[in-house]
Amino acid sequence: MRSGVGVASGLALAAVLVGIAAPTASAQPTKGKHTGSIEEAEIEIVKERVNQLPEATRNFEKIKLPAPPKTERKVTYTFPDFRLPADRLNPSVKVLTIRAEEPAPLTGNFVKAAIGNYGTFYGRGYFHSTRNTDHAYGIDINHINSLNGPVDGKNSSQSETSAHLMGELYRGTGAFGATLDFGHERYNFYGYNKAANGSPVVTPEATDIKQAFNRFAVKAYAHNRDPAQQLTYDAGIGYRYWTDNFAASENDVRLNAKVGYALGESSRVTVAADASFISDKDQAGPTVALPNPALLTRTRTFVQATPAYEFVNKSIAFSLGATLGYSSDTATSVSKAVIYPAVRLGYTVEPEKFMVYAGLGGALQRVTRYDLSTENPWLNRGLNVADTHRGPTIYAGFTSTPARGLELNVRATYARDRNLYFYLNNPIDPTKFDLVYDQHATGVLNIHGELLYNAAEKFRLGTRMDYNKYALNTLPEPFHRPEFQGSVFGTYNVFDKLMLGVEGYFYSASYGISYRSNNTPGTVRTSDFYRATDPIVDLNLRADYRITPKISIFAMGNNLANRQYQRFYGYPVKGINVLGGATYTF
């Protein structure tokens, strides 16, 4: 046994010595004597291989559990620049937007200009501070006008000019800022008949059918939305002013605030509140425009608050509260004060993959002339503007990311609306639209779907669809509220210098009213029949080509299907309209 151990130990020792000697031996030169010093040598490293990883798909925003919809916002999806105002459509639900490609390097300033058919000129100036952790400021100026339109040339001309100024200061987790907005728009009431009782009528002058809006808005705000803070807040105070060519005006003082206080890691209490105090002037009722109408002043008060308790953990999100509101409007026989439940339950089936939710709610929705005129610029005077009572409301849906880069959102909502406005042609002057209301509650079923695919910032494609079914009582049709609305939008970055974009809309037919011709101006016309407008098909394409890091050119084609559809009865839009221009970044 001892001799075996000794042999084994000897072999192990020999192996160690060989292992130590091997590197030394390999370092010896094969020829010549060892001098004990390191000779000078030049080492050349040749890089012959590059390891590349495939480009990863990025999800900029994970789908989160959405809050119950408070308002039926009229938001127009656009490319980063504009769409021609004659073709503007107004989806009832905000769409998933496409993130614009950022220029490199980010300079914060650019100017662009374009010209097109119909005597169209477009210009934009964007001047903004570069990225800064302390502050931000900027101004955005836009102008577009068309000297001619689809009806009698200049009689259907349009123009829009706007300026937006902003500034923010960042202090820790808080932000403090202010915005200032100016706007001026010019339209014409070109929805007149070309003939009366089979005989041609005198074409009116553009100055006789003019409509113009002036807008001014200012707002100051402060917010701290850092979820790590025990107290979060978001508050603002603002003022908006609006006037039209009929000498009607609207002054609106607005307040909003949301405060949250964390009770622990998974629960918190919140209070969201909004208030609006309006003083407006207009003539007594809707009729044909008079030379010097007597203007009446009225005040409109809107106050609403929603206190709630929220609980969130890994798989469950729960909110329990109530919405209390007051609106002084009296368009129909509805209570001025309301109280609705605010209950929402969400369950995460698979984190960041699939969530389901349902809730019960309701809220008042503020309706103003400022917002209505952006949706329909051919409004009559003497309108009875009233806030919408949406509730009680029940909803359910799900959000999902079934594959990398793919996002899906589906929701079904049923609400009982009061003071829900519809647009109807005036019986004295059909070129203007009145607001009409169902005298009882209107049942509204909405099925909403959104789909967005984003492939590594190279290709993006999205669609949004809304189906709305209105259960009316006293109104024969849901005037100018289409039953189906759909849109598709996408961009494709062909290579670093070329970006292509597409945008398309489809609206089902909606209803207006046709009146018999009347040779006596200023008298009530006899209604003929309810007329369904043609379905809307609108296709728009865009291409941007970057010549140098600072100079690029672009071309846009709108309404390429050449459908002179009527979003509002009597008002056809322009046919194919193309613009071409250039952008300079500095």
Side-chain angles (χ1 to χ4, degrees):
M1 289 294 291
R2 288 184 179 178
S3 61
V5 173
V7 173
S9 301
L11 292 174
L13 179 58
V16 172
L17 293 175
V18 171
I20 296 174
T24 305
S26 63
Q28 302 296 326
T30 56
K31 294 181 181 180
K33 298 181 179 179
H34 177 60
T35 61
S37 63
I38 300 177
E39 297 180 357
E40 289 189 5
E42 181 177 349
I43 300 175
E44 180 180 1
I45 299 175
V46 180
K47 183 179 179 182
E48 297 180 347
R49 181 177 179 180
V50 178
N51 292 325
Q52 292 184 342
L53 297 176
E55 188 172 2
T57 300
R58 296 174 58 192
N59 291 326
F60 289 97
E61 295 182 0
K62 300 297 183 182
I63 292 183
K64 299 178 180 178
L65 181 67
K70 274 189 170 184
T71 60
E72 188 177 354
R73 294 183 61 193
K74 302 291 180 181
V75 179
T76 302
Y77 170 78
T78 65
F79 280 102
D81 301 299
F82 69 96
R83 295 183 66 250
L84 298 183
D87 297 337
R88 183 175 51 207
L89 303 177
N90 298 281
S92 62
V93 180
K94 186 176 181 179
V95 303
L96 294 167
T97 57
I98 299 173
R99 180 173 175 172
E101 181 187 23
E102 285 189 353
L106 179 63
T107 60
N109 307 281
F110 66 80
V111 292
K112 56 177 56 182
I115 57 174
N117 59 335
Y118 291 99
T120 301
F121 171 78
Y122 165 71
R124 182 181 180 187
Y126 183 86
F127 313 97
H128 203 280
S129 60
T130 54
R131 292 189 181 97
N132 193 301
T133 58
D134 181 73
H135 63 270
Y137 58 88
I139 180 172
D140 190 2
I141 304 173
N142 282 274
H143 173 78
I144 181 170
N145 71 280
S146 295
L147 299 178
N148 300 300
V151 176
D152 292 333
K154 64 180 182 179
N155 277 13
S156 52
S157 61
Q158 299 181 9
S159 69
E160 293 184 4
T161 304
S162 64
H164 172 76
L165 294 84
M166 62 80 61
E168 284 188 342
L169 290 175
Y170 309 116
R171 295 294 182 267
T173 60
F176 309 89
T179 61
L180 187 63
D181 291 274
F182 300 92
H184 176 77
E185 297 128 50
R186 159 70 190 267
Y187 302 93
N188 292 323
F189 293 99
Y190 65 88
Y192 48 81
N193 289 327
K194 301 287 289 182
N197 297 324
S199 302
V201 298
V202 178
T203 301
E205 293 293 329
T207 54
D208 297 331
I209 55 175
K210 175 183 176 181
Q211 175 61 292
F213 304 114
N214 293 299
R215 306 176 191 275
F216 170 78
V218 60
K219 182 179 181 180
Y221 58 89
H223 62 79
N224 175 10
R225 299 178 179 176
D226 185 358
Q229 297 292 317
Q230 187 174 24
L231 178 66
T232 59
Y233 58 87
D234 189 347
I237 179 172
Y239 169 75
R240 299 200 306 183
Y241 174 75
W242 171 94
T243 184
D244 69 0
N245 201 48
F246 295 149
S249 63
E250 179 182 76
N251 296 272
D252 185 5
V253 177
R254 306 169 72 89
L255 304 169
N256 69 278
K258 183 175 182 179
V259 179
Y261 184 79
L263 302 176
E265 294 184 357
S266 58
S267 63
R268 64 192 300 111
V269 291
T270 62
V271 178
D274 298 277
S276 172
F277 305 95
I278 289 178
S279 173
D280 63 12
K281 291 183 180 180
D282 201 355
Q283 70 177 34
T287 182
V288 67
L290 301 176
N292 296 298
L295 299 179
L296 300 179
T297 300
R298 71 164 180 164
T299 58
R300 301 176 56 212
T301 301
F302 171 94
V303 180
Q304 186 167 250
T306 304
Y309 168 79
E310 298 178 356
F311 174 82
V312 179
N313 64 11
K314 293 182 179 180
S315 58
I316 295 178
F318 178 75
S319 177
L320 176 62
T323 297
L324 300 87
Y326 173 84
S327 172
S328 61
D329 298 335
T330 56
T332 61
S333 56
V334 61
S335 175
K336 295 183 179 181
V338 299
I339 179 170
Y340 297 117
V343 181
R344 185 176 74 250
L345 175 63
Y347 179 72
T348 302
V349 180
E350 186 176 354
E352 299 185 357
K353 288 292 186 180
F354 189 72
M355 304 177 189
V356 294
Y357 61 90
L360 181 65
L364 296 176
Q365 299 176 357
R366 191 53 153 166
V367 180
T368 66
R369 298 171 189 267
Y370 192 107
D371 297 324
L372 288 172
S373 58
T374 62
E375 180 183 331
N376 183 349
W378 300 289
L379 295 175
N380 200 3
R381 63 199 319 167
L383 299 177
N384 184 13
V385 182
D387 298 327
T388 300
H389 294 230
R390 163 147 286 194
T393 301
I394 185 171
Y395 61 93
F398 68 88
T399 60
S400 175
T401 55
R404 197 172 189 180
L406 184 65
E407 301 179 8
L408 176 65
N409 182 9
V410 177
R411 182 181 66 248
T413 304
Y414 180 77
R416 299 283 289 174
D417 286 0
R418 293 171 174 82
N419 291 356
L420 180 64
Y421 64 86
F422 300 86
Y423 296 112
L424 186 61
N425 304 80
N426 181 266
I428 297 176
D429 184 358
T431 66
K432 301 177 177 66
F433 293 88
D434 299 329
L435 298 180
V436 294
Y437 303 89
D438 199 313
Q439 294 304 307
H440 302 284
T442 302
V444 182
L445 172 65
N446 171 260
I447 300 176
H448 171 74
E450 293 177 345
L451 182 66
L452 177 64
Y453 178 69
N454 175 22
E457 301 185 48
K458 291 290 185 181
F459 175 72
R460 300 182 183 93
L461 182 66
T463 183
R464 182 204 56 80
M465 294 175 289
D466 279 282
Y467 171 78
N468 299 282
K469 186 66 176 179
Y470 299 94
L472 301 169
N473 289 280
T474 58
L475 290 179
E477 299 289 347
F479 296 111
H480 292 100
R481 286 187 178 268
E483 192 171 85
F484 178 81
Q485 306 170 29
S487 66
V488 62
F489 45 90
T491 60
Y492 177 54
N493 190 353
V494 182
F495 48 88
D496 290 339
K497 291 188 175 183
L498 179 63
M499 173 74 77
L500 302 178
V502 61
E503 184 182 33
Y505 290 94
F506 176 79
Y507 279 24
S508 62
S510 61
Y511 284 89
I513 190 169
S514 175
Y515 296 100
R516 297 177 184 175
S517 300
N518 193 343
N519 293 324
T520 306
T523 59
V524 176
R525 303 187 182 199
T526 303
S527 59
D528 195 357
F529 55 87
Y530 303 115
R531 183 182 293 275
T533 63
D534 293 332
I536 294 174
V537 178
D538 191 317
L539 176 63
N540 312 289
L541 299 176
R542 169 174 181 143
D544 289 84
Y545 182 76
R546 183 177 299 167
I547 300 175
T548 71
K550 291 187 175 183
I551 299 175
S552 62
I553 58 176
F554 64 90
M556 297 183 66
N558 288 315
N559 194 14
L560 296 180
N562 199 28
R563 300 280 296 271
Q564 289 192 324
Y565 55 80
Q566 300 180 23
R567 174 65 182 89
F568 297 98
Y569 178 63
Y571 285 88
V573 303
K574 294 193 286 284
I576 296 177
N577 42 101
V578 179
L579 282 90
T583 302
Y584 176 69
T585 304
F586 58 97

